[in-house]
């Protein structure tokens, strides 16, 4: 199936292809009428540039329009590169949280999932997570990528996966309609199920979102149980503020290895926390470059901000199985210069949602 | 601790004062003065911190009742003259004035008031105690040697909870004179400061700690707006300052004491000549820079409203526009953009009113990005005009005619009503009116404060209850 001269797209885990060479190969694959996806082949004539001749470097991905919004209504099969033949190895169709507008959908093929898992596995090793222990997941399930990622991560490391159903859209709906108490009730319902598993099973790894981690920590007895029994906590799904992270490490779960993931549907995966960060270091996330790359930009100009400055995250996913370059995420991050041994876009730190400023309208009163 | 050495160039960071000590958060917001210059940074702790701190507070024991008075007196001294926050009192006052836009003289007076009230806090807290109960401070002693009181059965004045949360106000440092009563009653207290004045509760709690109050008994937990609920959920009882919206949100919650809109008013009946009391009326509107809930927002006059407006406008127009740190400043200052927004809001509200000092003269820019909010006086025809309910953070008053036919309706929902009247039947009806919290009959300004006169009921009415207790000598 894959043509021999595009082997750079399939280098084994651990290999670090030259990013620019990698991008050129990917363009040849995705914009070849024989192998590209119907979606991109249809868009190509209207792009205003020729991906084959004009996209020569990683930076040139910024030529692409941001088509993430199209993932809301595109026929999902049109996203699969035709080069995979009539029976492409599908890992699943996954959807975004659907915070703004309808959910966005992507399709993940097995070869990409395998690459991501191999890389994530190494990241967990580097963070001191053990193998052969069982996992408990308190992460979005159903159509959400992170649930499947959790199951496969556990299986790959020889663990059983205990899961709790979690529908994040319902929670968001409750909060948006002012039913905060109901959202709290739902969270308690999730925690109660998790507690049962934690008390009856030997859980070595916990995969959890920061808001639910906060609820687990609020039960002191439970927090002690987790600190004693669980070897590692992989958190992700939403951001964690730096003060909470420091407190978890120093006070709440001092005996547990913590590893953050920064993921999004548009990335088709996650970026992993750099291992070995110090107490005062920001939480730096490194993507699986050059397959997934970040830039941190000024949202107005779309130009990169300086290293150390805050900006909006732009994600590009470029693999043999999928192409989604240049999507502007909702998140703010600090732009971090990557280690010279790991070329390919920026690293990002201290992810936070775009600040929503309190309404400037005058509220009557004196306080 | 909090303060970097002077001249080090580092920003002054207001830390959280958690149950286990002071904490400089990694996440901080700038605290800017009225001209937009950042004077300090305020730590913003996450819910995890709030939650753990509250939990530790719950485990703490109150200071023995007999030691409290001395501790509060020491803290009052430190607050007024020491450097518990790393600042001299002058520097503290300057920052409160520059950030909140409150005249410096007002801040100085408030410093003295906070200290005075803190010294007497055990006494003022005790004034709420029903005469039929045994004092909580006595209970321990009574239990050790059950005398005739408890042996026969008595009501004991006891706490309704252990942990009291305060969503503090930022309009005036004087608002921090009330919550220490909770400490005096044996509560553990957690204060979420306003970003408009984090300095006063920081200085006050620092002073209490320096005077010997264990960290876990009073905490300062600055959080982002969206995490404010965490504090309320984690406490037994709470006090929340805010406007109409806050009043609506927590109105149904018996565990939340709302310090809502004041809508303080003045009534002048025909048997009194307002000309003799112009000082009281103008002072009620504009004293303390007109920023308090006890400042009058409406004046009802049985007689010639226009004449009163004219005289009041003339009096208030004479107040000078000065930067807040000027010794002679008497009017509030805000960033120019917010001042303009306030004026625009006033203009919309006053569409049907006759301006004596109108929205167009409210904003007086000082040239450094800040603006004085100058007094406004409007006349309306109908005592039921909704504009009369408009309370804004500067001297802004609405004047309406009042008639016997209009009755009590326009006078309802008042934190304070000053009635200049000789009509004792009317006075009796006003005293009976449940939605008037404080009533002064005669030439007293609406902002009258004196020992024994609670601001909005005694805090103890909310924090305590009478618990039937009988102990046998088994």
């Amino acid at each position: 199936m894959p043509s021999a001269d595009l082997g750079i797209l399939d280098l084994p885990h651990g290999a670090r292809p030259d990013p620019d060479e990698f991008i050129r190969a990917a363009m040849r694959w995705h914009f070849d009428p024989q192998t590209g996806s119907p979606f991109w082949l249809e868009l190509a004539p209207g792009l205003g540039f020729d991906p084959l001749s004009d996209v020569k470097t990683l930076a040139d991905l910024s030529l692409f329009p941001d088509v993430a919004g199209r993932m809301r209504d595109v026929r999902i099969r049109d996203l699969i590169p035709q080069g995979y033949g009539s029976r492409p190895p599908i890992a699943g169709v996954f959807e975004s949280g659907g915070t703004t507008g309808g959910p966005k959908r992507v399709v993940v093929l097995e070869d990409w999932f395998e690459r991501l898992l191999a890389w994530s596995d190494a990241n967990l090793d580097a963070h001191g997570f053990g193998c052969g222990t069982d996992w408990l997941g308190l992460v979005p399930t159903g159509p959400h990528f992170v649930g499947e990622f959790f199951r496969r991560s556990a299986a790959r490391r020889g663990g059983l996966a205990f899961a709790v159903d979690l529908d994040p859209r319902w929670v968001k709906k409750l909060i948006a309609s002012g039913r905060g108490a109901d959202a709290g009730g739902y969270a308690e319902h999730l925690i109660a199920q998790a507690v049962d598993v934690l008390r009856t099973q030997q859980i070595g790894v916990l995969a959890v979102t920061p808001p639910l981690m906060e609820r687990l920590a609020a039960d002191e007895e439970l927090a002690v149980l987790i600190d004693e029994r669980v070897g590692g906590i992989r958190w992700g799904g939403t951001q964690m503020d730096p003060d909470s992270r420091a407190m978890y490490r120093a006070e709440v779960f001092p005996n547990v290895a913590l590893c953050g993931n920064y993921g999004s549907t548009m990335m088709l995966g996650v970026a992993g926390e750099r291992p070995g960060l110090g107490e005062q270091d920001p939480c730096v996330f490194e993507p699986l470059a050059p397959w997934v790359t970040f830039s941190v930009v000024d949202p107005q100009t779309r130009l990169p901000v300086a290293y150390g400055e805050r900006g909006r995250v732009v994600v590009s996913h470029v693999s043999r199985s999928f192409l989604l370059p240049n999507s502007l995420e909702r998140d703010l991050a600090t732009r971090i210069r990557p280690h010279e041994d790991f070329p390919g876009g920026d690293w990002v730190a201290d992810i936070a949602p775009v600040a929503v400023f309190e309404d400037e309208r005058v509220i009557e009163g004196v306080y | 601790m909090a303060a970097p050495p002077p001249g080090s160039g580092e920003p002054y960071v207001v830390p959280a004062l958690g149950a286990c000590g002071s904490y400089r958060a990694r996440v901080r917001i700038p605290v800017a003065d009225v001209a937009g210059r950042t004077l300090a940074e305020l730590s913003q702790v996450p819910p995890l911190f709030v939650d753990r701190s509250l939990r530790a507070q719950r485990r703490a024991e109150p200071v023995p009742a007999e030691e409290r008075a001395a501790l509060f007196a020491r803290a009052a001294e430190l607050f007024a003259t020491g450097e518990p926050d790393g600042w001299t009192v002058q520097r503290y006052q300057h920052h409160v004035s520059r950030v909140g836009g409150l005249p410096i003289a007002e801040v100085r007076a408030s410093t003295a008031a906070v200290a005075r009230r803190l010294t007497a806090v055990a006494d003022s807290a005790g004034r709420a105690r029903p005469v039929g109960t045994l004092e909580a401070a006595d209970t321990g002693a009574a239990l050790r040697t059950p005398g005739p009181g408890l042996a026969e059965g008595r009501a004991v004045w006891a706490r309704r909870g252990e942990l009291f949360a305060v969503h503090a106000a930022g309009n005036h440092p004087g608002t921090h004179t009330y919550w220490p009563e909770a400490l005096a009653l044996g509560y553990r207290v957690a204060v979420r400061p306003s970003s408009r004045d984090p300095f006063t509760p920081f200085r006050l709690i620092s002073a209490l700690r320096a005077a010997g109050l264990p960290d876990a008994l009073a905490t300062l937990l600055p959080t982002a707006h969206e995490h404010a609920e965490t504090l309320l959920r984690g406490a037994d009882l709470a006090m929340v300052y805010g406007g109409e919206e806050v009043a609506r949100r927590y109105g149904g919650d018996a565990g939340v004491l709302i310090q809502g809109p004041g809508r303080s008013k003045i009534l002048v009946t025909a048997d009194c000549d307002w000309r003799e009391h112009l000082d009281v009326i103008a002072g009620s509107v504009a004293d303390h820079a007109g920023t308090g809930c006890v400042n009058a927002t409406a004046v009802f006059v049985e007689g010639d409203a226009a004449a009163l407006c004219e005289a009041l406008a003339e009096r208030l127009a004479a107040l000078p526009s000065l930067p807040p740190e000027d010794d002679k400043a008497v009017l509030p200052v805000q960033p120019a953009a917010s001042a303009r927004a306030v004026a625009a809001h006033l203009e919309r509200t006053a569409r049907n009113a006759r301006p004596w000092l109108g929205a167009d003269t409210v904003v007086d820019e000082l040239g450094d990005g800040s603006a004085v909010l100058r007094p406004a006086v409007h006349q309306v025809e109908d005592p039921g005009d909704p504009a009369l309910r408009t309370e804004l953070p500067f001297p802004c008053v609405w004047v309406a005619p009042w008639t016997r036919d209009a009755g009590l309706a326009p006078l309802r929902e008042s934190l304070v009503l000053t009635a200049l009247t000789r009509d004792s039947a009317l006075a009796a009806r006003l005293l009976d009116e449940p939605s008037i919290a404080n009533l002064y009959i005669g030439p007293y300004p609406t902002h009258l404060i004196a020992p024994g006169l609670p601001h909005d009921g005694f805090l103890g009415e909310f924090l305590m209850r009478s618990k039937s207790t009988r102990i046998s000598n088994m």
Side-chain angles (χ1 to χ4, degrees), chain B residues 57 60-72 74 136-137 159 162 182-189 208-209 211-218:
Chain B
Q57 289 196 265
E61 288 290 324
V63 172
E66 54 274 19
E67 295 172 22
R68 287 176 205 156
L71 190 155
F72 292 133
R74 279 196 303 277
R159 286 189 292 278
E162 298 292 353
L183 285 176
L185 294 168
Y187 272 86
R188 275 114 288 164
V189 179
L208 285 161
R209 290 180 171 196
L213 191 77
D215 287 358
L217 296 198

Side-chain angles (χ1 to χ4, degrees), chain B residues 114-146:
Chain B
V114 169
R116 200 167 52 236
R117 293 282 301 259
L118 192 56
T119 308
V121 68
D123 174 63
S124 54
R127 286 173 189 256
R129 183 173 63 84
V131 293
T133 61
L134 201 60
E135 198 173 340
D138 299 337
T139 317
L143 287 177
R144 282 191 290 277
T145 51

Side-chain angles (χ1 to χ4, degrees), chain B residues 15-406:
Chain B
L17 298 173
C20 303
S22 159
Y23 179 79
R24 276 170 76 118
R26 290 162 176 79
V27 177
R28 306 196 281 257
I29 54 168
V31 180
D33 75 355
V34 286
R37 283 180 308 147
T38 297
L39 293 192
E41 290 182 349
L42 176 60
S43 293
Q44 299 278 282
V45 293
L48 180 68
F49 187 97
V50 173
D51 190 73
R52 288 175 72 79
S53 196
L54 294 181
R55 213 175 289 281
Q57 289 196 265
R58 224 174 249 294
R59 284 192 294 264
E61 288 290 324
V63 172
E66 54 274 19
E67 295 172 22
R68 287 176 205 156
L71 190 155
F72 292 133
R74 279 196 303 277
E77 177 74 19
L78 284 167
F79 181 82
T81 61
E83 298 187 17
D85 49 3
W87 278 346
T88 62
V89 69
Q90 290 80 11
R91 195 169 164 78
Y92 152 74
Q93 288 164 343
H94 178 83
H95 279 68
V96 170
S97 174
R98 282 299 302 170
V99 170
L102 203 61
I104 188 80
E106 188 57 33
V107 179
R108 289 181 191 134
S110 172
T111 305
V114 169
R116 200 167 52 236
R117 293 282 301 259
L118 192 56
T119 308
V121 68
D123 174 63
S124 54
R127 286 173 189 256
R129 183 173 63 84
V131 293
T133 61
L134 201 60
E135 198 173 340
D138 299 337
T139 317
L143 287 177
R144 282 191 290 277
T145 51
L150 289 181
E152 288 156 20
R154 278 293 298 275
V156 169
W157 205 41
R159 286 189 292 278
R160 284 178 64 209
E162 298 292 353
L163 192 48
F164 181 50
V166 181
H167 274 205
N171 62 318
H172 197 288
T175 52
H176 293 283
T177 56
Y178 301 110
W179 61 257
E181 289 189 7
L183 285 176
L185 294 168
Y187 272 86
R188 275 114 288 164
V189 179
V191 179
R192 175 184 180 263
S194 158
S195 57
R196 284 168 57 205
D197 176 15
F199 308 121
T200 301
F202 174 51
R203 185 173 172 91
L204 184 48
I205 294 172
S206 298
L208 285 161
R209 290 180 171 196
L213 191 77
D215 287 358
L217 296 198
T219 57
L220 182 77
L221 302 174
T223 63
H225 194 70
E226 66 263 30
H227 300 316
E229 293 272 332
T230 311
L231 190 60
L232 296 193
R233 270 203 311 271
D236 299 320
L237 295 171
M239 177 161 71
V240 178
Y241 287 84
E244 193 84 40
E245 190 189 321
V246 164
R248 256 198 309 273
R249 185 186 315 170
Y250 299 111
D253 191 336
V256 178
L257 181 66
I258 300 163
Q259 301 289 298
R263 300 205 173 109
S264 297
K265 302 175 183 68
I266 294 175
L267 169 69
V268 191
T269 55
D271 56 8
C272 280
D273 184 358
W274 56 260
R275 285 169 191 82
E276 292 168 21
H277 304 299
L278 196 56
D279 283 350
V280 168
I281 298 171
S284 294
V285 174
D287 286 353
H288 308 303
T291 59
C293 50
V294 290
N295 283 109
T297 53
V299 177
F300 295 89
V301 57
E302 192 180 19
D304 186 356
L308 189 149
C309 285
E310 189 180 6
L312 192 55
E314 190 190 335
R315 181 71 68 93
L316 296 178
L319 299 176
S321 289
L322 291 166
E325 70 278 16
D326 191 298
D327 285 343
K328 296 190 182 66
V330 288
L331 291 172
V333 175
Q334 284 199 8
S338 351
R340 283 192 291 268
V342 169
H345 179 75
L346 174 62
E347 191 170 7
R348 285 191 297 275
T349 313
R351 213 166 275 146
N352 299 318
R354 178 178 175 193
W356 289 86
L357 288 174
D360 54 332
T361 58
V362 162
V363 179
D364 195 359
E365 299 208 21
L366 292 171
D368 64 348
S370 69
V372 174
L373 283 163
R374 298 201 50 80
V377 177
H378 287 87
Q379 183 186 353
V380 295
E381 289 308 314
D382 178 1
D385 193 311
L388 287 155
R389 295 169 58 79
T390 304
E391 180 170 328
L392 292 170
F394 72 104
C396 175
V397 67
W398 308 83
V399 181
W402 183 79
T403 59
R404 301 280 156 170
D405 285 348

Side-chain angles (χ1 to χ4, degrees), chain A residues 214-215 217-220 241-248 251-252 279-280 358 360-367, chain B residues 23 25-27 46-49 51-52 55 59 169 171 196 225 241-242 259-260 291 293 341 345 390-391 393:
Chain A
E214 213 170 274
R215 293 211 174 237
D219 180 333
E220 280 176 341
D241 69 87
D243 291 294
S244 293
R245 179 164 165 267
M247 287 179 72
Y248 284 126
E251 295 175 32
V252 187
E279 199 190 321
Q280 294 303 325
E358 281 175 45
E360 287 287 326
R361 86 197 145 88
V362 176
I363 295 173
E364 285 183 15
V366 293
Y367 304 118
Chain B
Y23 179 79
R26 290 162 176 79
V27 177
L48 180 68
F49 187 97
D51 190 73
R52 288 175 72 79
R55 213 175 289 281
R59 284 192 294 264
N171 62 318
R196 284 168 57 205
H225 194 70
Y241 287 84
Q259 301 289 298
T291 59
C293 50
H345 179 75
T390 304
E391 180 170 328

Side-chain angles (χ1 to χ4, degrees), chain A residues 24-107:
Chain A
R24 289 193 291 272
M27 291 300 116
R28 291 210 295 283
W29 168 260
H30 284 291
F31 291 94
D32 181 328
Q34 302 298 310
T35 55
S37 70
F39 174 78
W40 280 110
L41 291 175
E42 194 183 312
L43 278 187
L47 288 175
F49 63 91
D50 180 357
L52 293 177
S53 55
D54 295 337
V55 179
K56 298 190 204 70
T57 66
L58 186 62
D60 291 338
L61 289 178
S62 64
L63 290 170
F64 279 98
D66 185 346
V67 297
R70 292 288 314 278
M71 302 299 122
R72 294 204 168 90
D73 51 13
V74 66
R75 193 174 92 89
I76 200 82
R77 284 183 182 273
D78 286 349
L79 294 171
I80 302 170
Q82 299 170 84
Y84 280 87
S86 58
R87 299 283 298 275
I90 306 290
V93 173
F94 300 106
E95 297 185 356
S96 68
T99 312
T100 47
K104 296 176 217 159
R105 294 185 186 85
V106 297
V107 56

Side-chain angles (χ1 to χ4, degrees), chain A residues 336-356:
Chain A
I336 302 289
R337 188 193 297 275
H339 191 282
E340 59 191 15
D341 295 345
F342 303 90
D346 296 329
W347 289 355
V348 294
D350 284 342
I351 305 289
V354 171
V356 181

